[in-house]
Amino acid sequence: MPVDLPGLLSPRPHLLLTPGPTPLHPRAQEALGRELLGHMDPEVFALNREIQQDLRAMYGAAPGTFTALLAGTGSLGMEAGFANLVEPGDEVLVCVNGAFGARMAEMAARYGARVRQVAAPHGEAIRPEDVAAQLGGVSLVALVHGETSTGVLNPLGQIAKLVRESGALLTVDAVTTAGMEPFHMAEWGIDYVYTGAQKCLSAPPGVAPVAISDRALARQAARRTPTPLWYCDFSGLRDYWERQAYHHTVPVHLHYALHAALRAALEEGLPARRARVAALGRALLSALAPLGFTPYVPDPAARLPTVLALRLPPGLDDAATRQALRAREISITGGLGPTAGLIWRLGLMGEAARPAPYRRLLHELEDLLAAPGLCGRFDEALAPLPA
Ligand SMILES: *Cc1c(COP(=O)(O)O)cnc(C)c1O
């Protein structure tokens, strides 16, 4: 049987309401149809310079901070940080309260770090005092800002302040936050930050936007041994992005699409995007609560606005319901590991975080769960928000 992939102009486009990838921004979709230019073309270098400038704005980076796209997904962004900033035997402190924190710990160990972990139970945020207690002798701290696997927002500002005072470098996973709300790399004192194109920016997967502080560049330049990951060696990246010398062939179409989507995000404005996500999250919660859906994260201050983690009502058949939605061209995501079968995770990133796609989900759920009134409650709660 031939594989049945969605067409570009199908009457009922497939709807991605997962915590990544998110639906492509129309301008990113359009950019993918442009003519291919070479990775050393002057127009591509000009585009790259605009991307670098826009990334500084997105991350709240100091003027002149080195920014770039890595040719891979968010995990490559994660890996590149450890590859460049860890040397064998270094003490690295990793905050782990979900799957992505655990991935960071695994990567740091593979690059030879002696990994210490600060943990928090699933559904709870990392406590700054627990970080403070472990900072002695540590050269690098790693934190996931928004833990996608549980829908938890970690207190980055407070933790960053402690790390700064200790003198350690700080690497931050901003995959579910940067681009959807103001981010303050310079003010918080972050040394390395990354995201993935397909999350908050609604660009295609395949590039990881990063920003690297001068302190981090200096740490990498002073390594005793070369960065073991040649492909993402900071100095190799600077050869291409700053000195316009060949390093590797960049995925030019993904640069076009990322550029378009990032411009659109900055034109809308990060505070406006944050407000859009917050309003949508509230409306979804008030529409679904009468059916028995409850927030998985007990502390409202620790809820990640871009990944709404909902505990399922007793009796709801997780797999069957999601399969039925998939048959109606809607993808949503269940739990991961210990939360499998227990929760749904609704992605409120980028173009997913709009009323129309969620109205379509609720419309189908009204039918599948025999729950009249769902869309009405949603619209009522959303009333002040424009489509
Ligand atoms: C999705 C995600 C990643 C990994 O990104 P990939 O693009 O799947 O490699 C890393 N961290 C967080 C918090 C994520 O949500």
Side-chain angles (χ1 to χ4, degrees), residues 19 73-76 78 100 103 144 146-148 173 175-176 194 196 198-199:
T73 64
S75 300
L76 185 65
M78 185 188 285
F100 290 103
R103 183 176 293 187
V144 177
E147 178 50 78
T148 321
D173 178 315
V175 173
T176 56
Y194 61 88
Q198 81 279 21
K199 303 273 179 121

Side-chain angles (χ1 to χ4, degrees), residues 110-199:
R110 288 202 192 186
Y111 284 96
R114 295 154 58 105
V115 176
R116 296 184 206 170
Q117 295 192 20
V118 171
H122 279 253
E124 291 180 24
I126 298 288
R127 292 166 9 139
E129 56 269 38
D130 293 346
V131 174
Q134 296 266 10
L135 282 171
V138 162
S139 64
L140 177 72
V141 177
L143 175 75
V144 177
H145 191 195
E147 178 50 78
T148 321
S149 63
T150 55
V152 168
L153 182 69
N154 283 314
L156 171 56
Q158 291 171 57
I159 291 173
K161 186 164 182 289
L162 296 166
V163 175
R164 237 309 122 104
E165 286 162 8
S166 81
L169 297 186
L170 176 60
T171 178
V172 173
D173 178 315
V175 173
T176 56
T177 53
M180 223 56 218
E181 57 177 75
F183 193 89
H184 308 289
M185 177 184 186
E187 189 186 319
W188 286 327
I190 291 166
D191 294 293
Y192 180 76
V193 57
Y194 61 88
T195 183
Q198 81 279 21
K199 303 273 179 121

Side-chain angles (χ1 to χ4, degrees), residues 25-28 54 201 258-269 273 276 351 354:
H25 191 282
R27 288 201 228 162
D54 287 351
L201 292 173
L258 186 286
H259 175 264
L262 177 55
R263 270 288 149 100
L266 295 178
E267 281 170 19
E268 181 183 1
R273 286 164 80 81
R276 161 153 74 86
E351 292 308 292
R354 295 193 184 275

Side-chain angles (χ1 to χ4, degrees), residues 3-386:
V3 176
D4 185 19
L5 294 175
L8 198 51
L9 297 169
S10 47
R12 203 173 159 72
H14 189 85
L15 192 52
L16 288 168
L17 300 180
T18 60
T22 57
L24 290 183
H25 191 282
R27 288 201 228 162
Q29 180 80 66
E30 188 197 321
L32 291 173
R34 280 192 211 135
E35 199 181 334
L36 178 62
L37 291 173
H39 55 290
M40 302 298 284
D41 191 279
E43 288 298 326
V44 172
F45 282 125
L47 184 92
N48 288 344
R49 272 194 299 276
E50 292 192 0
I51 291 172
Q52 287 183 290
Q53 196 50 38
D54 287 351
L55 288 179
R56 288 183 196 107
M58 180 184 84
Y59 282 129
T65 301
F66 179 61
T67 53
L69 302 179
L70 309 185
T73 64
S75 300
L76 185 65
M78 185 188 285
E79 181 148 9
F82 295 114
N84 282 283
L85 300 176
V86 170
E87 292 194 75
D90 285 358
E91 296 280 346
V92 173
L93 183 63
V94 185
C95 303
V96 180
N97 57 341
F100 290 103
R103 183 176 293 187
M104 280 183 138
E106 157 87 26
M107 283 186 185
R110 288 202 192 186
Y111 284 96
R114 295 154 58 105
V115 176
R116 296 184 206 170
Q117 295 192 20
V118 171
H122 279 253
E124 291 180 24
I126 298 288
R127 292 166 9 139
E129 56 269 38
D130 293 346
V131 174
Q134 296 266 10
L135 282 171
V138 162
S139 64
L140 177 72
V141 177
L143 175 75
V144 177
H145 191 195
E147 178 50 78
T148 321
S149 63
T150 55
V152 168
L153 182 69
N154 283 314
L156 171 56
Q158 291 171 57
I159 291 173
K161 186 164 182 289
L162 296 166
V163 175
R164 237 309 122 104
E165 286 162 8
S166 81
L169 297 186
L170 176 60
T171 178
V172 173
D173 178 315
V175 173
T176 56
T177 53
M180 223 56 218
E181 57 177 75
F183 193 89
H184 308 289
M185 177 184 186
E187 189 186 319
W188 286 327
I190 291 166
D191 294 293
Y192 180 76
V193 57
Y194 61 88
T195 183
Q198 81 279 21
K199 303 273 179 121
C200 293
L201 292 173
S202 282
V207 282
V210 301
I212 310 171
S213 76
D214 289 344
R215 290 202 321 158
L217 291 176
R219 169 82 65 91
Q220 192 268 344
R223 288 178 65 98
R224 300 181 297 275
T225 53
T227 293
L229 182 65
W230 179 92
Y231 198 62
C232 292
D233 183 306
F234 287 170
S235 65
L237 294 174
R238 292 172 83 189
D239 283 343
Y240 179 73
W241 288 87
E242 287 181 341
R243 296 183 272 275
Q244 309 196 340
Y246 170 66
H247 184 252
H248 61 266
T249 305
V250 300
V252 172
H253 275 91
L254 299 184
H255 285 215
Y256 295 160
L258 186 286
H259 175 264
L262 177 55
R263 270 288 149 100
L266 295 178
E267 281 170 19
E268 181 183 1
L270 300 176
R273 286 164 80 81
R274 168 160 59 194
R276 161 153 74 86
V277 173
L280 196 55
R282 276 195 301 273
L284 280 169
L285 203 53
S286 61
L288 289 165
L291 300 185
F293 287 89
T294 53
Y296 174 64
V297 177
D299 176 5
R303 287 179 200 155
L304 175 60
T306 49
V307 181
L308 183 60
L310 294 173
R311 207 180 275 277
L312 303 178
L316 186 140
D317 188 335
D318 172 32
T321 310
R322 285 192 292 121
Q323 249 164 40
L325 287 170
R326 179 61 184 80
R328 298 175 185 208
E329 300 295 348
I330 298 177
S331 293
I332 62 167
T333 305
L336 195 65
T339 57
L342 196 70
I343 66 171
W344 280 354
R345 293 174 300 139
L346 303 179
L348 297 177
M349 292 183 256
E351 292 308 292
R354 295 193 184 275
Y358 271 98
R359 196 169 290 117
R360 200 174 125 194
L361 170 70
L362 295 184
H363 179 76
E364 297 299 347
L365 285 178
E366 258 192 26
D367 182 43
L368 287 171
L369 305 179
L374 201 47
C375 289
R377 285 197 299 274
F378 179 66
D379 285 336
E380 209 169 294
L382 265 186
L385 191 73

